[in-house]
Amino acid sequence: MAYILKNVFSKSPKVLMIDGKNVIGNCTYSIINDTNACINNLYIEPEYRNNDNGSCLLRYTENILETKYNIKTTSLLAYEPETCNLRIFFQKNGYTIDDSKKIETFDDGQKVFNLIPMIKNIK
């Protein structure tokens, strides 16, 4: 199956993963300074997960950050529900837990999330 990856430039840049006419995933990012960026959100529709789509979208976004903006380091805050291993996904994609920051817990009233700061050198 082939997907289209498209970078939408705006005040809130977004990378879209498109299957035919349907958006099946997206990733947003923010440029922090000359060498650092933050991945704000990475989302893949549930039926398209576990097929390397998330990794592909993440790599494509990192490539944009590196080639268009000359970014050297990306960071993110993984919102990991207690029954999920989201950090493993990011670790498989080269991210490490940022030891300079504290892992915290967030309760939205329905679920409890671990907030895991992660970082990756992309250059």
Side-chain angles (χ1 to χ4, degrees):
M1 184 178 290
Y3 301 109
I4 297 170
L5 292 164
K6 182 177 181 180
N7 191 20
V8 179
F9 294 100
S10 67
K11 287 186 178 185
S12 179
K14 182 182 287 190
V15 179
L16 302 176
M17 181 175 257
I18 303 168
D19 177 21
K21 295 181 181 180
N22 301 316
V23 175
I24 63 161
N26 67 75
C27 185
T28 59
Y29 59 88
S30 297
I31 306 301
I32 306 301
N33 58 36
D34 290 344
T35 60
N36 298 294
C38 179
I39 303 290
N40 300 321
N41 184 46
L42 175 72
Y43 178 78
I44 298 291
E45 291 289 342
E47 62 269 24
Y48 291 91
R49 293 178 186 167
N50 299 315
N51 291 314
D52 201 40
N53 293 320
S55 295
C56 180
L57 181 57
L58 184 59
R59 282 190 305 269
Y60 186 82
T61 303
E62 291 168 349
N63 186 55
I64 289 168
L65 292 170
E66 183 180 2
T67 58
K68 181 166 178 50
Y69 301 102
N70 201 32
I71 296 298
K72 295 179 180 21
T73 304
T74 58
S75 61
L76 57 87
L77 186 62
Y79 283 67
E80 181 180 75
E82 289 185 327
T83 59
C84 176
N85 290 315
L86 187 59
R87 78 181 81 189
I88 292 171
F89 165 78
F90 286 112
Q91 287 172 326
K92 285 180 182 178
N93 283 282
Y95 285 80
T96 59
I97 295 173
D98 186 349
D99 292 329
S100 71
K101 297 182 178 157
K102 184 177 153 188
I103 295 176
E104 297 189 21
T105 303
F106 173 73
D107 184 346
D108 71 359
Q110 294 181 328
K111 289 184 182 178
V112 176
F113 296 85
N114 291 318
L115 304 176
I116 305 167
M118 302 190 85
I119 194 163
K120 178 180 179 181
N121 293 321
I122 59 174
K123 268 198 171 183

